[in-house]
Amino acid sequence: MKASIGPKTILYPAPALVVGTYDREGKPNVMTAAWGGICCSSPPCVTVSLRKATYTYDNIREQKAYTLSIPSEKYVRETDYFGMVSGKDEDKFSSTGFTPVRSELVNAPYVGEFPLVLECGLLHTFEIGLHTQFIGEILDVKADQDLLGTDGLPDMGKVKPVVFGPGVGSYFGIGDFLGDAFSIGKEIKSYPNR
Amino acid sequence: MKASIGPKTILYPAPALVVGTYDREGKPNVMTAAWGGICCSSPPCVTVSLRKATYTYDNIREQKAYTLSIPSEKYVRETDYFGMVSGKDEDKFSSTGFTPVRSELVNAPYVGEFPLVLECGLLHTFEIGLHTQFIGEILDVKADQDLLGTDGLPDMGKVKPVVFGPGVGSYFGIGDFLGDAFSIGKEIKSYPNR
């Protein structure tokens, strides 16, 4: 039996996206956002939605660029902290000791210690309501060398990203490997032989 | 040391969204999509990006409505199957034995067996490139009664959603609870006392 929860922003899983930007003085900032994800394969694009009140909102509008640093689970406390205090009040790189690395592709910094990074140039800005959606073209993905699989791609089981559950607001790690995409579905009896 | 992977659509975690629609004859269909997520808190909105070639694309354009059914990990095979075959060729409800439940709020069906459902009315359609982004207003969230926590919200640890890793294309379950959002960040030494 299903219960009606009401029109809430509950969707599992959500990512923990650490958005890196420079302000107009060139000071690096990061904030954590959960409203976002890949939105197009070609050009490769990713969205992140932010409130206008955030420091990062103005930075993206001005610099037309941002990075997304994906935290591993061991950095879940810092990830939460990045979403709780504003770059207007705090230098979040200084307070955590993380390293702001300047992207060579866009005018934005990323978190050197985090395992996976997307470097994005702003393509579109779309007003929805309380949140503004930024669509960025992914110009490069960078990952720690030791987290790559034999195919040269980052292995999610090694990256160990933080998984966010909106609504209740809880962080989880990733668990067991369940199977390969575009493969295990063939085990369904009626999968066509073609 | 970070390796450059190139401009790929790799972002961890991604969701496994099972998009439910009716075609013009009223036949229910589902497909799995990973390019989407929450994009606005007020109005509560969710995006899903689809290629024009999909059966679901035409259905959403015509019905102005869709649902997102979130699979639990025990349904990962069916979830993968839903992304591999087209509703043009297969009746995916029949072939899996799942129950198409008609939404009372929008003209779209959802998967009765899946633990969490979002019912969405189409608000915006946004052409990006290979993918078209649909932005839907969340009119209700429904969840299996026995998966609710004491706060009346669905517990992600009980829902056990599928976590998708694009790039390599792998499915994982969720793992250990890491902490509460807007809370564990206060453990950072420099968290301001205010």
Side-chain angles (χ1 to χ4, degrees), chain A residues 3 12 77 143 154 171 182 187, chain B residues 3 12 77 80 143 154 171 178 187:
Chain A
Y12 300 152
R77 283 170 189 75
Y171 298 109
F182 308 108
E187 295 173 17
Chain B
Y12 301 151
R77 282 170 189 75
D80 193 43
Y171 299 110
L178 301 178
E187 295 172 17

